[in-house]
Each structure stands twice: as C-alpha cells, then as structure tokens.
Amino acid sequence: MKSIVPLSLVLLGAALALVLKPLIWLHPPVAPGLWPVYDAAFRAAKYVDLTHTITPQIPVWEGFGPPTFSPAVAGRDIPGFVRKGERFTYEKHGFEAIRYALSTDQLGTQLDPPAHWAPEYPAIDELPATYAIRPLVVIDISAQVKTDYGYALQVSDIARFEQRYGRIPSGSVVFVRSDWSKDWPDPALATRKPFPGVSLAALKFLHLERKILFHGHEPLDTDATPTLEGESWLMHHGYAQAEGVANLDKLPPVGALVAIGFPKLGGGTGGYARYIAICPPDWKYGVSSSQIAEAPLPRSDKPLVFDATQGMRVRK
C-alpha cells in the first residue's frame, strides 16, 4: 500500500528549502579534516626553497666524482617506434628523457639517514612519513664565520639563541646558517678547508636535551674534525641530518615550518632532498601560491635543449 504525504507537509518542505537555501550559501558546511588548516595557515604563506639544483658542475667530494647527464636512449627495440640505442626526440617520439649517472647518493642538498654510517639503523626508505613537516629553527653563526671560517656551532650559541627567541621545541628541525652556500656552485667548495661546522657538544645538546628531530648545515660535512666526530656520533646513535641546505639567510629565526621531501630509494644510504620553508604571509622573502602561475604552469619562449658543453638540458 502506497503511503500518501499530506499536501501540507510538501508545501512546508518547499517553504523551508526556500528559507534555508540562502542561509546555506551564507554559512557553507565546514570543510572536512585538515582543509581549514590549509586555508588558514598555508594558502597565503610564503614559500622559500632551501635546495640546491643538482647539475654536473656542483661541488662533490673528490672521492665520489661528479654526476653526468646525457640524453636517454632506448634500451631495446620497439618495432615501429624506436630502435635500441636510438635517442628519444620530440620530433620522432613525442618526448625526450634524460639519463642521470649519479656518482653517489651524497649530492647537493641531502637528507642523510643513519645507515650512511651505521647499517644497523634505518636507510632512506625506512625513515618514517612523519618527517614530512616540522617547526623550523634557524641559528645564525655567520658573524662568527666571518672572523673564523672554521667556526663550529657551540652550546653557548644555542644558549644565546634561546635567551632571545625562547626554548627550541621538541621534534623541531634546526638549521645552522653559516653563509657557506653563498659560493655555490663553485666546485672548489668541496675541497675548501676548514669550513663552518657544528660541534659535537652542540649536536649532543640539541638531540639529548632539546630532543630535536634532526639538524642541518650548509656545507657537505657536519664538521672539519679528522674523524668527522659529529657525523659519526649522529649516525651511530640513530639520528638523521640535512646537508647542503641553502637560502638560510632568507628565513626567520623562529616561526616557520619546513616541508621535507626525499626519494624512497631501497636501502639508500643518502637522499637527494627537497626542503621548503613555509613562512608567515607577511615575511619579506619567498612567494605565495597567489603570486605565481601553478596550474597550468607558465610557457617559456625558450625551449629546453641538451647543451653538450654544460652536459645538461638548458633553455636556449
């Protein structure tokens, strides 16, 4: 037997819909989950890239040697499309690709997992996903480095920093600014000694007293001691570290976040990392999403072509 809805209820429902429709428009449903956090904190934030570009000319420890780039070629015949050994081209195949011969996983801006020195600890693919975003602290020792190029961060520097900016939060990332990276990509940087570093005492204080996630520095090594004592201590106690970070002079000492990206290379003892600082909207450096073209990305009037002299694709 069919139920019959009284006409009065139908009319009442229609009336309520007309009344509530503008209210729903004025007060839309609350966005789910963390979307409101993005709208409130990240949409207008300023983003600063802290990452060097990997090229064949960057500074690399002489024991590894430089990377090389070359146009990718087919690894086997695909009838009617490409022959083994043939270079892919836009004209014939519709795309091009690059072959990267990376001499080491210790190139450019890095995230060193403890397995770099200690195989009993996690490799790069075993680092937890919780590394993705953290509070960022920047301690500046560039003034000390100007008078002593081999200066290393001391516990006293951390104490002065905290007197001015407050206690370093647990779980944060601490980057040490020395301005060493201002000479990047001069290959001579890889052999310049001494260089600015981080003392073992400072590392122990940051990890054991302040419980930070990891620290980072601009040079390609933690310290200039003969045994690399700081890096050895970190790795053999299960701590990661960032190396080769850039643009620390464009960051506030406190108040920013850092987004951390790295490849998930199986058993990797190092990682080509991408660090992005997320700064408050009123910060003087960086760019917000509303200031640039993101999707679609901008078209260039200079196409990418492989330059044999530079050993990489460049815009010409």
Side-chain angles (χ1 to χ4, degrees), residues 69-257:
F69 300 176
S70 59
V73 299
R76 65 182 182 89
D77 288 335
I78 301 178
F81 182 64
V82 69
R83 300 183 66 179
K84 182 178 180 179
E86 182 181 358
R87 174 180 171 177
F88 294 105
T89 66
Y90 294 118
E91 294 77 14
K92 185 174 181 179
H93 308 100
F95 70 90
E96 292 192 8
I98 296 295
R99 177 181 181 272
Y100 301 101
L102 303 176
S103 54
T104 173
D105 54 11
Q106 302 290 314
L107 288 174
T109 304
Q110 308 156 30
L111 176 60
D112 270 349
H116 180 36
W117 282 52
E120 66 273 23
Y121 282 106
I124 193 74
D125 60 312
E126 297 172 316
L127 297 181
T130 54
Y131 272 47
I133 187 167
R134 292 295 169 123
L136 178 60
V137 172
V138 180
I139 301 178
D140 185 0
I141 61 168
S142 61
Q144 295 94 314
V145 171
K146 285 181 180 178
T147 57
D148 177 8
Y149 197 71
Y151 187 83
L153 177 75
Q154 302 295 315
V155 175
S156 58
D157 297 313
I158 301 171
R160 283 192 295 272
F161 179 91
E162 291 191 324
Q163 287 176 356
R164 182 172 182 181
Y165 298 106
R167 186 182 177 93
I168 294 172
S170 173
S172 62
V173 168
V174 176
F175 282 168
V176 181
R177 175 190 166 188
S178 64
D179 288 349
W180 179 92
S181 62
K182 286 185 176 295
D183 290 332
W184 191 277
D186 183 357
L189 276 174
T191 57
R192 185 183 296 174
K193 292 183 179 180
F195 55 84
V198 183
S199 71
L200 177 58
L203 291 172
K204 288 183 176 180
F205 180 85
L206 288 170
H207 283 286
L208 302 180
E209 300 297 328
R210 293 299 177 260
K211 310 293 184 184
I212 68 168
L213 181 68
F214 64 81
H215 94 288
H217 46 266
E218 296 179 46
L220 300 178
D221 280 313
T222 316
D223 59 80
T225 63
T227 60
L228 293 179
E229 62 181 16
E231 186 162 354
S232 178
W233 181 84
L234 287 170
M235 304 286 119
H236 286 101
H237 287 80
Y239 297 117
Q241 67 169 2
E243 295 193 304
V245 292
N247 294 326
L248 299 185
D249 58 324
K250 294 179 172 59
L251 302 183
V254 295
L257 303 175

